[in-house]
Amino acid sequence: MSNYIPTIGVEVHVELKTNTKIFSNSANGYGEMANSLTNVIDLGYPGTLPTLNEKVLDLGIKAATILNCKIRRQMHFDRKNYFYPDNPKNYQITQARTPIGYDGYVEIVKENGEHKKIEIEEMHIEEDTCKSAHRGKKTLLDFNRAGVPLIEIVTKACLSSSEEVKLYLEKLRELLSYGDISDCKIEEGSMRADVNVSIRKKESDPLGTKAEIKNIGSISNAALGVEKEIERQTKIYERGETFKPQTRRFDDKIGDTVLMRIKETGNDYRYFPEPDIPFVIITDEMIEKAKKDIPMLPDERRLKYLELGISEINTKKLVANRSLSDYMNLFLYDKFDHQIASNLLLGDISAYLNRTEKDITETTLTKERFMELVKLISDNKLSSKNLKEILDEILESTESIQEIMKKRGIENITDDTEIRKVIKDIIKENEESVIDYKNGHDRAVKYLMGQVMKATKGKVNPKIAMDILLEELQ
């Protein structure tokens, strides 16, 4: 454990969910043949002119709202000048001086229950560079990514542990994914994080020398990279040595950070306003329109599910599955057993969807059909055993559930008098097991219960049958 206090800032690049790129009409896609989604604007041909994609502006306003940022009403784009093979124009169009969002925050909940606001300094819109692929001594360039719209979200240096970094990135991914801003697929590079780490002995000391860890490919690696960097810097200071500001990368093969370059001087990007894109004025109407399109966000969903009587564990699982959560939201104002509904969705229905690789919207489970199914279960007219037998048909057929049950000969016994009569007969026929039960052998109850289910061909609700069995045994 380090005796030093870490100071951490995080920069996250997120690709926006648009059909086309930010300044051209090339498709915004992933996994296509290299250099197939390009045109002269993406390739940086001289004389080409960028045109701002309106959808990018809309998603920028939404993201700023979701991240509790103030929205800049008048903004412009800047040219960030630097020379690198992945930058075809030798400048990147970004927002250096007038980011669309600023002074925001994301709230995380730590393991000890402490709530902490991670402060966002600014959030700006920019274009992505093309992708470099290193093959031996050669570097190949794929321009499909050049011009893909990004937002960069920059926190203040307010994080103090790898746990906070992990929780912040998870919360960011959840919010932007639920807000339909981005698919946030880190493995595909649509969400990438850079982490700045420094350490110092006391709060009153000046900030230590900063190391930046670039382009981390997963949330767990971001947390591990922070831990390794704190460990590395601690060893240096403990030896009485210092180090120069530097850029590092996380190597997941060795599970550690690796030096890329020393920062001898500050970068001089020679920013100046992009002359080919007019200033943008964001109106109240634009903000209102964007806000209306924001779906219900995770925290609101959690609160609502708990209010409806859904257990904490089911609430957590539902929010982790956007498709099932959206489906559950169809029933927020309906009067039926929401806990049974959540059990169904997360249990047998989820197993079917995983097995068939379907989305719930691709089944025949309409809102009315699902409500009927939940009612049959809550009224003990359909047991979990019988449900398993007919679930595929319920999800694939347009026949009514009642018709399916009738066709399969499934009709639960719900009359207590009838169930009690069967149980009394079982008790009479199995005197030895009754004696075993009275002598404290628990297995005797399971045996008797098995006989009840056998006699009724599984047509009784096990819980009701067990309650009556125990009552009669007493």
Side-chain angles (χ1 to χ4, degrees), residues 103 133 160 262 270 390 418 443 447 465:
D103 289 351
S160 56
I262 300 290
R270 304 188 321 284
I390 61 170
E418 194 178 336
R443 274 181 294 185
Y447 172 78

Side-chain angles (χ1 to χ4, degrees), residues 303-362:
L303 201 62
K304 192 70 187 169
Y305 296 162
L306 292 169
E307 282 173 3
L308 291 169
I310 296 174
S311 67
E312 273 190 44
I313 190 159
N314 278 14
T315 293
K316 192 176 178 181
K317 286 179 181 176
L318 278 172
V319 174
N321 187 319
R322 172 73 186 272
S323 175
L324 293 184
S325 179
D326 284 348
Y327 190 78
M328 176 57 85
N329 280 9
L330 299 174
F331 306 93
L332 295 182
Y333 305 100
D334 291 299
K335 288 186 177 177
F336 75 145
D337 194 318
H338 289 84
Q339 177 61 19
I340 287 177
S342 68
N343 287 340
L344 255 178
L345 284 177
L346 296 165
D348 291 331
I349 290 172
S350 194
Y352 168 87
L353 297 174
N354 291 334
R355 174 165 49 83
T356 58
E357 296 183 347
K358 283 184 179 178
D359 187 85
I360 195 160
T361 56
E362 297 172 301

Side-chain angles (χ1 to χ4, degrees), residues 164-180:
E164 289 180 7
V165 169
K166 179 174 175 287
L167 290 171
Y168 167 68
L169 290 174
E170 284 174 347
K171 189 64 180 279
L172 204 59
R173 180 174 63 180
E174 185 183 77
L175 286 168
L176 296 175
S177 178
Y178 261 97
D180 294 327

